[in-house]
Amino acid sequence: MWRDPDMLRLLSLSACQSVLFGRMYSFMGGGLFCAGVGNILLIVSTATDYWMQYRHSSNYMHQGLWRYCVPGKCMTHTDSIAYWDATRAFMILSLLACFIGIVIGVMAFIHYSSFDGFDKTFAAGILFFISCFFVLLAMAVYTGVTVNYYGKRYGSWRFSWSYIMGWVAVVLTFFSGIFYMCAYRMHECPRNSNSR
C-alpha cells in the first residue's frame, strides 16, 4: 500500500481535475445547446412576418421586420422607419455575435489548438453576452415603439410568435453566456492550483 504523501496528493489532484473538467464540459455542452437553439430562434424571428398582428378595416394583418401582410398578399416595407431599421440592425448583430460565439465555443470544446493567444471559453461567453445585449436592445426598441404607436392607433392588436421567439432568444443567449463563464471558471481553477 502506498504511504507516500506526495503521491496521494498527486492522485487526489488528478481526480479533482478530472471531475472539474467533466463539469467544465457539461457547462460548455449546455452553453452550446442553448446557443444553437437561440441562434435558430434568432434566424426564424428575424426572417418571419409575425412580430405583431392587428385588425385594420375588418381584416387581420400581420407584420415582421421586413414585410407586412394583408389577406392574400405580403408587401415589403418601403418606408425607412428608424425603429424598424434599429431593430433589424440589432437582430442581425445579435445573430452574428451568437454564430461567431458558437464557432469559438466549438473550438474550445474540441481543444482546437489555433489561436492559443486567447481563452476561447471566455471569448465565447463574452460573445454570447454581446448577442444577448443586442437582441435585448432590438426587443426593447420594438416593444417601446409598438406599444406607444399601435397601442394608441389600433384597438385590436397583439404581439405574435416571431416576437415571442425573439424574447426566448434573449433568455437562451444569456444562459449560453452564463454556462460558458462557469466553464471558464472551472478551467481557470486547475490552472491556479497548479501554479502554487
Side-chain angles (χ1 to χ4, degrees):
M1 197 116 202
W2 292 343
R3 297 284 179 185
D4 184 13
D6 290 332
M7 184 58 85
L8 290 175
R9 189 171 58 85
L10 184 62
L11 287 173
S12 172
L13 182 62
S14 176
C16 178
Q17 284 180 342
S18 67
V19 168
L20 285 176
F21 282 123
R23 288 182 185 161
M24 181 182 75
Y25 282 113
S26 295
F27 280 124
M28 284 197 303
L32 282 175
F33 176 77
C34 286
V37 173
N39 206 31
I40 290 168
L41 292 180
L42 283 170
I43 291 168
V44 171
S45 176
T46 303
T48 54
D49 301 324
Y50 284 90
W51 277 62
M52 75 168 269
Q53 296 175 321
Y54 55 96
R55 181 184 281 272
H56 183 66
S57 302
S58 73
N59 290 319
Y60 279 106
M61 301 168 62
H62 58 89
Q63 73 178 21
L65 299 178
W66 310 100
R67 300 184 316 168
Y68 65 96
C69 301
V70 296
K73 68 178 182 176
C74 292
M75 292 150 287
T76 304
H77 290 297
T78 55
D79 298 335
S80 180
I81 298 174
Y83 89 97
W84 277 334
D85 292 340
T87 304
R88 290 175 193 148
F90 287 138
M91 290 297 284
I92 291 169
L93 288 172
S94 175
L95 220 157
L96 291 173
C98 189
F99 179 75
I100 294 168
I102 289 171
V103 170
I104 293 174
V106 168
M107 288 173 28
F109 192 79
I110 63 172
H111 289 296
Y112 187 69
S113 62
S114 291
F115 309 113
D116 283 335
F118 70 97
D119 193 311
K120 290 178 277 302
T121 308
F122 182 77
I126 292 298
L127 282 166
F128 294 140
F129 282 133
I130 290 170
S131 176
C132 177
F133 177 70
F134 280 139
V135 73
L136 183 64
L137 281 175
M139 301 309 291
V141 166
Y142 189 85
T143 302
V145 174
T146 301
V147 167
N148 286 328
Y149 179 71
Y150 286 102
K152 295 174 184 169
R153 188 170 178 196
Y154 300 107
S156 177
W157 69 275
R158 65 185 173 108
F159 292 114
S160 195
W161 59 268
S162 298
Y163 172 83
I164 294 167
M165 282 185 172
W167 279 111
V168 174
V170 169
V171 173
L172 289 173
T173 54
F174 177 75
F175 278 111
S176 297
I178 293 289
F179 284 143
Y180 261 82
M181 286 302 161
C182 289
Y184 171 72
R185 293 292 298 156
M186 295 264 176
H187 185 65
E188 285 297 304
C189 288
R191 280 190 203 170
N192 292 341
S193 64
N194 286 341
S195 63
R196 291 180 190 165

